[in-house]
PDB file of all heavy atoms in Angstrom:
ATOM      1  N   GLY A   1       0.842  -1.186   0.000  1.00 96.00           N
ATOM      2  CA  GLY A   1       0.000   0.000   0.000  1.00 96.00           C
ATOM      3  C   GLY A   1       0.873   1.230   0.000  1.00 96.00           C
ATOM      4  O   GLY A   1       2.050   1.186  -0.385  1.00 96.00           O
ATOM      5  N   TYR A   2       0.313   2.356   0.433  1.00 96.00           N
ATOM      6  CA  TYR A   2       1.004   3.633   0.360  1.00 96.00           C
ATOM      7  C   TYR A   2       1.641   3.987   1.701  1.00 96.00           C
ATOM      8  O   TYR A   2       0.993   3.906   2.751  1.00 96.00           O
ATOM      9  CB  TYR A   2       0.036   4.730  -0.067  1.00 96.00           C
ATOM     10  CG  TYR A   2      -0.628   4.447  -1.393  1.00 96.00           C
ATOM     11  CD1 TYR A   2      -2.003   4.244  -1.476  1.00 96.00           C
ATOM     12  CD2 TYR A   2       0.105   4.344  -2.563  1.00 96.00           C
ATOM     13  CE1 TYR A   2      -2.621   3.973  -2.688  1.00 96.00           C
ATOM     14  CE2 TYR A   2      -0.501   4.065  -3.776  1.00 96.00           C
ATOM     15  CZ  TYR A   2      -1.864   3.882  -3.833  1.00 96.00           C
ATOM     16  OH  TYR A   2      -2.472   3.598  -5.035  1.00 96.00           O
ATOM     17  N   VAL A   3       2.898   4.393   1.648  1.00 95.00           N
ATOM     18  CA  VAL A   3       3.656   4.728   2.850  1.00 95.00           C
ATOM     19  C   VAL A   3       3.040   5.955   3.526  1.00 95.00           C
ATOM     20  O   VAL A   3       2.814   6.992   2.880  1.00 95.00           O
ATOM     21  CB  VAL A   3       5.129   5.000   2.491  1.00 95.00           C
ATOM     22  CG1 VAL A   3       5.904   5.467   3.722  1.00 95.00           C
ATOM     23  CG2 VAL A   3       5.764   3.756   1.884  1.00 95.00           C
ATOM     24  N   GLU A   4       2.758   5.826   4.823  1.00 93.00           N
ATOM     25  CA  GLU A   4       2.224   6.933   5.625  1.00 93.00           C
ATOM     26  C   GLU A   4       0.902   7.475   5.065  1.00 93.00           C
ATOM     27  O   GLU A   4       0.570   8.644   5.254  1.00 93.00           O
ATOM     28  CB  GLU A   4       3.245   8.080   5.715  1.00 93.00           C
ATOM     29  CG  GLU A   4       4.553   7.699   6.395  1.00 93.00           C
ATOM     30  CD  GLU A   4       4.366   7.434   7.887  1.00 93.00           C
ATOM     31  OE1 GLU A   4       3.782   8.283   8.567  1.00 93.00           O
ATOM     32  OE2 GLU A   4       4.802   6.372   8.357  1.00 93.00           O
ATOM     33  N   ARG A   5       0.161   6.650   4.342  1.00 94.00           N
ATOM     34  CA  ARG A   5      -1.129   7.067   3.778  1.00 94.00           C
ATOM     35  C   ARG A   5      -2.157   5.969   4.060  1.00 94.00           C
ATOM     36  O   ARG A   5      -2.679   5.341   3.146  1.00 94.00           O
ATOM     37  CB  ARG A   5      -1.013   7.290   2.259  1.00 94.00           C
ATOM     38  CG  ARG A   5       0.005   8.304   1.833  1.00 94.00           C
ATOM     39  CD  ARG A   5      -0.478   9.746   2.076  1.00 94.00           C
ATOM     40  NE  ARG A   5       0.379  10.700   1.402  1.00 94.00           N
ATOM     41  CZ  ARG A   5       1.533  11.154   1.877  1.00 94.00           C
ATOM     42  NH1 ARG A   5       1.971  10.709   3.059  1.00 94.00           N
ATOM     43  NH2 ARG A   5       2.244  12.049   1.205  1.00 94.00           N
ATOM     44  N   ALA A   6      -2.461   5.762   5.331  1.00 95.00           N
ATOM     45  CA  ALA A   6      -3.352   4.665   5.719  1.00 95.00           C
ATOM     46  C   ALA A   6      -4.738   4.825   5.111  1.00 95.00           C
ATOM     47  O   ALA A   6      -5.343   3.852   4.636  1.00 95.00           O
ATOM     48  CB  ALA A   6      -3.443   4.590   7.238  1.00 95.00           C
ATOM     49  N   GLY A   7      -5.265   6.034   5.113  1.00 94.00           N
ATOM     50  CA  GLY A   7      -6.592   6.260   4.566  1.00 94.00           C
ATOM     51  C   GLY A   7      -6.641   5.991   3.080  1.00 94.00           C
ATOM     52  O   GLY A   7      -7.584   5.356   2.577  1.00 94.00           O
ATOM     53  N   LEU A   8      -5.634   6.462   2.359  1.00 94.00           N
ATOM     54  CA  LEU A   8      -5.579   6.233   0.921  1.00 94.00           C
ATOM     55  C   LEU A   8      -5.408   4.751   0.617  1.00 94.00           C
ATOM     56  O   LEU A   8      -6.027   4.214  -0.313  1.00 94.00           O
ATOM     57  CB  LEU A   8      -4.419   7.033   0.312  1.00 94.00           C
ATOM     58  CG  LEU A   8      -4.291   7.019  -1.206  1.00 94.00           C
ATOM     59  CD1 LEU A   8      -5.544   7.576  -1.862  1.00 94.00           C
ATOM     60  CD2 LEU A   8      -3.057   7.818  -1.639  1.00 94.00           C
ATOM     61  N   THR A   9      -4.587   4.074   1.412  1.00 96.00           N
ATOM     62  CA  THR A   9      -4.374   2.635   1.218  1.00 96.00           C
ATOM     63  C   THR A   9      -5.678   1.860   1.399  1.00 96.00           C
ATOM     64  O   THR A   9      -6.025   1.000   0.582  1.00 96.00           O
ATOM     65  CB  THR A   9      -3.318   2.107   2.205  1.00 96.00           C
ATOM     66  OG1 THR A   9      -2.064   2.750   1.946  1.00 96.00           O
ATOM     67  CG2 THR A   9      -3.136   0.606   2.063  1.00 96.00           C
ATOM     68  N   SER A  10      -6.419   2.180   2.433  1.00 96.00           N
ATOM     69  CA  SER A  10      -7.662   1.447   2.694  1.00 96.00           C
ATOM     70  C   SER A  10      -8.715   1.716   1.631  1.00 96.00           C
ATOM     71  O   SER A  10      -9.595   0.883   1.402  1.00 96.00           O
ATOM     72  CB  SER A  10      -8.213   1.819   4.074  1.00 96.00           C
ATOM     73  OG  SER A  10      -8.561   3.202   4.122  1.00 96.00           O
ATOM     74  N   GLY A  11      -8.613   2.862   0.952  1.00 95.00           N
ATOM     75  CA  GLY A  11      -9.570   3.168  -0.088  1.00 95.00           C
ATOM     76  C   GLY A  11      -9.258   2.515  -1.417  1.00 95.00           C
ATOM     77  O   GLY A  11     -10.164   2.337  -2.248  1.00 95.00           O
ATOM     78  N   ARG A  12      -7.981   2.161  -1.637  1.00 96.00           N
ATOM     79  CA  ARG A  12      -7.578   1.559  -2.916  1.00 96.00           C
ATOM     80  C   ARG A  12      -7.278   0.072  -2.802  1.00 96.00           C
ATOM     81  O   ARG A  12      -7.415  -0.670  -3.776  1.00 96.00           O
ATOM     82  CB  ARG A  12      -6.326   2.280  -3.459  1.00 96.00           C
ATOM     83  CG  ARG A  12      -6.483   3.766  -3.661  1.00 96.00           C
ATOM     84  CD  ARG A  12      -7.494   4.132  -4.721  1.00 96.00           C
ATOM     85  NE  ARG A  12      -7.120   3.713  -6.049  1.00 96.00           N
ATOM     86  CZ  ARG A  12      -7.576   4.272  -7.155  1.00 96.00           C
ATOM     87  NH1 ARG A  12      -8.409   5.299  -7.084  1.00 96.00           N
ATOM     88  NH2 ARG A  12      -7.224   3.816  -8.339  1.00 96.00           N
ATOM     89  N   PHE A  13      -6.808  -0.371  -1.645  1.00 97.00           N
ATOM     90  CA  PHE A  13      -6.544  -1.793  -1.399  1.00 97.00           C
ATOM     91  C   PHE A  13      -7.684  -2.308  -0.520  1.00 97.00           C
ATOM     92  O   PHE A  13      -7.673  -2.114   0.698  1.00 97.00           O
ATOM     93  CB  PHE A  13      -5.200  -1.988  -0.713  1.00 97.00           C
ATOM     94  CG  PHE A  13      -4.012  -1.650  -1.580  1.00 97.00           C
ATOM     95  CD1 PHE A  13      -3.614  -0.332  -1.749  1.00 97.00           C
ATOM     96  CD2 PHE A  13      -3.300  -2.648  -2.226  1.00 97.00           C
ATOM     97  CE1 PHE A  13      -2.520  -0.014  -2.548  1.00 97.00           C
ATOM     98  CE2 PHE A  13      -2.202  -2.340  -3.025  1.00 97.00           C
ATOM     99  CZ  PHE A  13      -1.819  -1.015  -3.187  1.00 97.00           C
ATOM    100  N   VAL A  14      -8.646  -2.963  -1.137  1.00 97.00           N
ATOM    101  CA  VAL A  14      -9.875  -3.330  -0.435  1.00 97.00           C
ATOM    102  C   VAL A  14      -9.979  -4.852  -0.322  1.00 97.00           C
ATOM    103  O   VAL A  14      -9.257  -5.597  -0.989  1.00 97.00           O
ATOM    104  CB  VAL A  14     -11.102  -2.766  -1.174  1.00 97.00           C
ATOM    105  CG1 VAL A  14     -11.052  -1.242  -1.205  1.00 97.00           C
ATOM    106  CG2 VAL A  14     -11.196  -3.316  -2.602  1.00 97.00           C
ATOM    107  N   ALA A  15     -10.869  -5.295   0.535  1.00 97.00           N
ATOM    108  CA  ALA A  15     -11.070  -6.734   0.731  1.00 97.00           C
ATOM    109  C   ALA A  15     -11.480  -7.398  -0.577  1.00 97.00           C
ATOM    110  O   ALA A  15     -12.286  -6.860  -1.340  1.00 97.00           O
ATOM    111  CB  ALA A  15     -12.122  -6.968   1.804  1.00 97.00           C
ATOM    112  N   ASP A  16     -10.907  -8.563  -0.817  1.00 97.00           N
ATOM    113  CA  ASP A  16     -11.199  -9.314  -2.040  1.00 97.00           C
ATOM    114  C   ASP A  16     -12.352 -10.276  -1.764  1.00 97.00           C
ATOM    115  O   ASP A  16     -12.171 -11.305  -1.102  1.00 97.00           O
ATOM    116  CB  ASP A  16      -9.945 -10.090  -2.469  1.00 97.00           C
ATOM    117  CG  ASP A  16     -10.159 -10.921  -3.734  1.00 97.00           C
ATOM    118  OD1 ASP A  16     -11.290 -10.871  -4.283  1.00 97.00           O
ATOM    119  OD2 ASP A  16      -9.217 -11.609  -4.168  1.00 97.00           O
ATOM    120  N   PRO A  17     -13.560  -9.999  -2.266  1.00 96.00           N
ATOM    121  CA  PRO A  17     -14.705 -10.874  -1.980  1.00 96.00           C
ATOM    122  C   PRO A  17     -14.644 -12.203  -2.713  1.00 96.00           C
ATOM    123  O   PRO A  17     -15.436 -13.114  -2.414  1.00 96.00           O
ATOM    124  CB  PRO A  17     -15.910 -10.040  -2.471  1.00 96.00           C
ATOM    125  CG  PRO A  17     -15.347  -9.154  -3.537  1.00 96.00           C
ATOM    126  CD  PRO A  17     -13.934  -8.842  -3.116  1.00 96.00           C
ATOM    127  N   PHE A  18     -13.710 -12.341  -3.650  1.00 95.00           N
ATOM    128  CA  PHE A  18     -13.622 -13.564  -4.443  1.00 95.00           C
ATOM    129  C   PHE A  18     -12.439 -14.443  -4.024  1.00 95.00           C
ATOM    130  O   PHE A  18     -12.283 -15.554  -4.529  1.00 95.00           O
ATOM    131  CB  PHE A  18     -13.479 -13.222  -5.929  1.00 95.00           C
ATOM    132  CG  PHE A  18     -14.514 -12.242  -6.413  1.00 95.00           C
ATOM    133  CD1 PHE A  18     -14.190 -10.904  -6.575  1.00 95.00           C
ATOM    134  CD2 PHE A  18     -15.803 -12.644  -6.693  1.00 95.00           C
ATOM    135  CE1 PHE A  18     -15.130  -9.985  -7.010  1.00 95.00           C
ATOM    136  CE2 PHE A  18     -16.763 -11.736  -7.123  1.00 95.00           C
ATOM    137  CZ  PHE A  18     -16.424 -10.405  -7.282  1.00 95.00           C
ATOM    138  N   GLY A  19     -11.598 -13.935  -3.110  1.00 94.00           N
ATOM    139  CA  GLY A  19     -10.414 -14.662  -2.699  1.00 94.00           C
ATOM    140  C   GLY A  19     -10.569 -15.286  -1.324  1.00 94.00           C
ATOM    141  O   GLY A  19     -11.662 -15.298  -0.733  1.00 94.00           O
ATOM    142  N   GLU A  20      -9.455 -15.793  -0.806  1.00 93.00           N
ATOM    143  CA  GLU A  20      -9.450 -16.369   0.538  1.00 93.00           C
ATOM    144  C   GLU A  20      -9.686 -15.267   1.567  1.00 93.00           C
ATOM    145  O   GLU A  20      -9.379 -14.098   1.317  1.00 93.00           O
ATOM    146  CB  GLU A  20      -8.099 -17.052   0.806  1.00 93.00           C
ATOM    147  CG  GLU A  20      -7.806 -18.240  -0.087  1.00 93.00           C
ATOM    148  CD  GLU A  20      -8.762 -19.392   0.165  1.00 93.00           C
ATOM    149  OE1 GLU A  20      -9.178 -19.565   1.329  1.00 93.00           O
ATOM    150  OE2 GLU A  20      -9.112 -20.103  -0.802  1.00 93.00           O
ATOM    151  N   PRO A  21     -10.218 -15.624   2.736  1.00 94.00           N
ATOM    152  CA  PRO A  21     -10.433 -14.620   3.781  1.00 94.00           C
ATOM    153  C   PRO A  21      -9.134 -13.872   4.122  1.00 94.00           C
ATOM    154  O   PRO A  21      -8.076 -14.483   4.250  1.00 94.00           O
ATOM    155  CB  PRO A  21     -10.920 -15.456   4.975  1.00 94.00           C
ATOM    156  CG  PRO A  21     -11.540 -16.666   4.352  1.00 94.00           C
ATOM    157  CD  PRO A  21     -10.716 -16.959   3.133  1.00 94.00           C
ATOM    158  N   GLY A  22      -9.234 -12.567   4.226  1.00 93.00           N
ATOM    159  CA  GLY A  22      -8.070 -11.753   4.563  1.00 93.00           C
ATOM    160  C   GLY A  22      -7.287 -11.249   3.373  1.00 93.00           C
ATOM    161  O   GLY A  22      -6.374 -10.436   3.535  1.00 93.00           O
ATOM    162  N   THR A  23      -7.605 -11.713   2.157  1.00 95.00           N
ATOM    163  CA  THR A  23      -6.879 -11.250   0.977  1.00 95.00           C
ATOM    164  C   THR A  23      -7.444  -9.921   0.490  1.00 95.00           C
ATOM    165  O   THR A  23      -8.601  -9.573   0.765  1.00 95.00           O
ATOM    166  CB  THR A  23      -6.921 -12.284  -0.165  1.00 95.00           C
ATOM    167  OG1 THR A  23      -8.298 -12.559  -0.504  1.00 95.00           O
ATOM    168  CG2 THR A  23      -6.242 -13.569   0.260  1.00 95.00           C
ATOM    169  N   ARG A  24      -6.608  -9.184  -0.251  1.00 97.00           N
ATOM    170  CA  ARG A  24      -6.982  -7.861  -0.731  1.00 97.00           C
ATOM    171  C   ARG A  24      -6.952  -7.808  -2.254  1.00 97.00           C
ATOM    172  O   ARG A  24      -6.346  -8.663  -2.912  1.00 97.00           O
ATOM    173  CB  ARG A  24      -6.017  -6.794  -0.200  1.00 97.00           C
ATOM    174  CG  ARG A  24      -5.888  -6.715   1.313  1.00 97.00           C
ATOM    175  CD  ARG A  24      -4.787  -5.729   1.669  1.00 97.00           C
ATOM    176  NE  ARG A  24      -3.536  -6.090   1.009  1.00 97.00           N
ATOM    177  CZ  ARG A  24      -2.577  -5.218   0.666  1.00 97.00           C
ATOM    178  NH1 ARG A  24      -2.731  -3.939   0.919  1.00 97.00           N
ATOM    179  NH2 ARG A  24      -1.477  -5.633   0.081  1.00 97.00           N
ATOM    180  N   MET A  25      -7.581  -6.797  -2.798  1.00 98.00           N
ATOM    181  CA  MET A  25      -7.458  -6.496  -4.221  1.00 98.00           C
ATOM    182  C   MET A  25      -7.248  -4.997  -4.372  1.00 98.00           C
ATOM    183  O   MET A  25      -7.658  -4.201  -3.510  1.00 98.00           O
ATOM    184  CB  MET A  25      -8.694  -6.963  -4.998  1.00 98.00           C
ATOM    185  CG  MET A  25     -10.000  -6.354  -4.556  1.00 98.00           C
ATOM    186  SD  MET A  25     -11.409  -7.031  -5.499  1.00 98.00           S
ATOM    187  CE  MET A  25     -12.756  -6.039  -4.842  1.00 98.00           C
ATOM    188  N   TYR A  26      -6.574  -4.618  -5.465  1.00 97.00           N
ATOM    189  CA  TYR A  26      -6.261  -3.206  -5.714  1.00 97.00           C
ATOM    190  C   TYR A  26      -7.206  -2.641  -6.754  1.00 97.00           C
ATOM    191  O   TYR A  26      -7.377  -3.209  -7.836  1.00 97.00           O
ATOM    192  CB  TYR A  26      -4.812  -3.056  -6.185  1.00 97.00           C
ATOM    193  CG  TYR A  26      -4.498  -1.659  -6.678  1.00 97.00           C
ATOM    194  CD1 TYR A  26      -4.503  -0.584  -5.797  1.00 97.00           C
ATOM    195  CD2 TYR A  26      -4.224  -1.420  -8.023  1.00 97.00           C
ATOM    196  CE1 TYR A  26      -4.242   0.704  -6.250  1.00 97.00           C
ATOM    197  CE2 TYR A  26      -3.952  -0.143  -8.490  1.00 97.00           C
ATOM    198  CZ  TYR A  26      -3.966   0.918  -7.586  1.00 97.00           C
ATOM    199  OH  TYR A  26      -3.713   2.197  -8.040  1.00 97.00           O
TER     200      TYR A  26
END
């Protein structure tokens, strides 16, 4: 994700509803 940009990271790297639990998608 983005360094020192937690809010931006959470908005672009989101939970992957099609993958294993805990995985993300960009």
Side-chain angles (χ1 to χ4, degrees):
Y2 303 115
V3 175
E4 298 291 309
R5 302 284 192 278
L8 186 59
T9 297
S10 63
R12 303 295 295 203
F13 292 80
V14 298
D16 179 1
F18 309 101
E20 296 294 327
T23 58
R24 303 174 305 152
M25 59 182 184
Y26 170 66

